[in-house]
Amino acid sequence: WSSDVCSSDLAQGQQKQAFERLITFIRNSSGDERKRAKEHLLLLFQLVDPSDPDLIRARNELASALF
C-alpha cells in the first residue's frame, strides 16, 4: 500500500478503492506496517461524510479485519 496512492484515490472521489486497498493490506500484514496503515485509514475516514455508504461499509470491514 502507499499512502500517496490511497490519498490520491480519495482526492479523485474513489474512496471505495482507497478503503479497500488499505483494508486488504491490514488483513495481510502485521506489526508496525499494519498499525501505520490502520492509522492512515482512520485519517481518511475523517475526510468522508459520515453517512457515506462506502465509509460505513469500510468501518465494518476494518473491524472485521482487526478482530
Side-chain angles (χ1 to χ4, degrees):
W1 76 281
S2 164
S3 61
D4 291 338
V5 170
C6 294
S7 296
S8 176
D9 285 345
L10 189 68
Q12 295 176 21
Q14 298 175 349
Q15 64 262 13
K16 183 177 179 180
Q17 290 86 340
F19 296 159
E20 288 175 352
R21 187 184 322 271
L22 280 164
I23 291 168
T24 297
F25 182 84
I26 290 166
R27 279 193 177 110
N28 297 311
S29 64
S30 61
D32 288 340
E33 288 183 340
R34 183 179 193 196
K35 181 180 176 186
R36 281 193 350 251
K38 182 187 90 170
E39 290 171 356
H40 188 72
L41 182 58
L42 293 174
L43 288 173
L44 295 182
F45 282 176
Q46 294 176 17
L47 302 175
V48 178
D49 181 345
S51 65
D52 186 292
D54 291 332
L55 175 61
I56 295 167
R57 189 175 310 111
R59 284 183 174 159
N60 290 330
E61 290 178 14
L62 175 60
S64 175
L66 293 173
F67 303 104

